[in-house]
Amino acid sequence: MILPLLLPTTSPLSHSSHLTSPSHPSLPLTTQTHHSILRSALKTYAHTPRHEKSTHLPSILSALQTYLPYLFALSNSLDGKPIHGEEIDLILKREIESEWNSVLVDGSVMGKLTSGVRAGKVGVRGAKKGRIRLRGVDAEIVMVLTTLAGVESLMAREHLRIVFAGGKAFPEPEERGKSVGAAVKGLLVANGIYSFLADLRVAGEVGGGEGGGGGGASIPEMESGVQNALAELAMGEATLLAVLKDDPYPAVVGQARDKDDREWMVKAPEIPKVRAHLFARLCIAAGEHAGRAEALFSSSSSSMKKMGREGIRVDEDIVEYARDLRKTARAKACRFFGIDEELGGETGKAIAWLRGARRELGFSVGREEGERSWTKGLGKLKKGFEEKREDKRIEKGGEWGADAGRMEEGRVMEMLEKKWVKVNDTINTQLIPPFEPLLAGMPSGREIHSSTAYVPPELDANVLEKMRAPPDPGDARALMNENDSTDDEEPAEGGLPGAFPSRPAGGADANEYY
């Protein structure tokens, strides 16, 4: 599974009002133009219904990739670094201040920060609701790169949607492998971006604008610990997907749950032998990455609190996702160890591994449940309802996978335990050992992916040469008229209740008259 990240929005930013270049006068205005294109793409994405958002990801990716070379050109010029052996004369008239809304900060804290906008307590006057003003070109680079990594992760999620299609249209192994491979590629790109940002170390001070108070606040995107945690999370997800590529059991469970499937009438589903021990160690490595991510998220929030900054902590949903990913990865490792034992004829030990996997997931185990029959029945009813709701989310393009695959792994273990217990009770009759010593003796993980370093893009030499031309005054006037009148809230999925489908959520048009 991949974390269902949100994408931020940003306000208009006039680079030409903050920067001027005698040698390349068109550079600030051209950068401003590409920022405007990115802002428009992000705003369109924010106002698009959830099930249609994925169609806008390629346009956002293109806008980000076009905007970044200009941003890095500004940053390098301000630092005195040459581009293609040529120094750009860039003069900073006043510090750039951009407004972004953090998608990593906890909701209650974000409300606390933005509630001081009108009072001027945090120095973020004029910020659109949910947005925070950041100072400096490097802060803008951090937010743009974080958005780029989020887009890569979301596009990886779209590749996985066909794999978790609830069994209704399960892909062939080749198509499944291509989808998982594309998702892994996107996650590794995101991992490289997050690692680059962790080493960038930008002081993301908030506020300090005209009439505002001093700075002192920060947001998670500016913290190297948070970026390291996101890098670990992306690597853990990529490692777990490498196992999913050759794991036949989720497909078998999905096929069994598909009411329209009739293949079982012809033949039983084929389950090929897997490299169980190797897969188990890969899952352990994924769990170690997720565990480090969880620890880094928590330590970053705690350290910022100790430093006396305005309360900034990572959204608890993200921390909970990292925790669930660690549990799911360790449970998968236990399942593969159990499969290895079952292939060797040790059915009793295999069942013990499955019960250990249930413990890792936080589920009750075997006879220790101690529940009354009616309580257990209600639990099964609730579980079935949650599974159906998750399938609907996948089918309709909702926020599926927020539990990091925990529910899906529980289905696989339930199927295997039912099968193995039946075989053990009727044929093998082996004693089932306690699972605690097995969990304590789990080996170390094994890595399969290596982090790919992110290389900042450079402006093409021909494009840089064109920046020597004076800017078009008409373009400058058009960008100055850009406004930030619309909010960032996502529209309701169903529109206005009782209205026609084509009618906007706000009711009648402003220029309609009856």
Side-chain angles (χ1 to χ4, degrees), residues 204-226:
E205 193 171 283
V206 175
E210 293 182 9
S218 183
I219 57 176
E221 284 86 346
M222 300 298 164
E223 296 296 316
S224 60
V226 173

Side-chain angles (χ1 to χ4, degrees), residues 136-197:
V137 177
D138 288 344
E140 175 80 358
I141 289 175
V142 169
M143 295 305 298
V144 173
L145 282 178
T146 304
T147 305
L148 176 61
V151 170
E152 292 285 356
S153 296
L154 289 174
M155 293 182 75
R157 274 175 59 85
E158 289 307 308
H159 288 297
L160 282 187
R161 190 181 299 279
I162 189 174
V163 179
F164 295 101
K168 293 191 176 182
F170 255 92
E172 295 295 326
E174 289 185 6
E175 187 180 358
R176 178 186 176 91
K178 287 180 181 179
S179 299
V180 174
V184 169
K185 184 178 179 181
L187 287 173
L188 292 179
V189 172
N191 169 265
I193 294 172
Y194 289 134
S195 299
F196 174 82
L197 290 174

Side-chain angles (χ1 to χ4, degrees), residues 92-107:
L92 182 66
K93 294 190 286 188
R94 57 191 177 94
E95 193 72 66
I96 285 181
E97 293 183 352
S98 58
E99 293 175 3
W100 290 80
N101 60 328
S102 172
V103 297
L104 301 178
V105 75
D106 186 78

Side-chain angles (χ1 to χ4, degrees), residues 24-43:
H24 297 73
S26 291
L27 182 58
L29 186 61
T30 307
T31 307
Q32 182 177 338
T33 301
H34 289 295
H35 175 274
S36 179
I37 295 171
L38 172 62
R39 175 182 168 274
S40 177
L42 289 173
K43 185 196 293 187

Side-chain angles (χ1 to χ4, degrees), residues 3-29:
L3 176 65
L5 287 166
L6 301 174
L7 293 183
T9 56
T10 182
S11 62
L13 175 60
S14 177
H15 295 77
S16 55
S17 300
H18 297 80
L19 300 164
T20 183
S21 176
S23 61
H24 297 73
S26 291
L27 182 58
L29 186 61

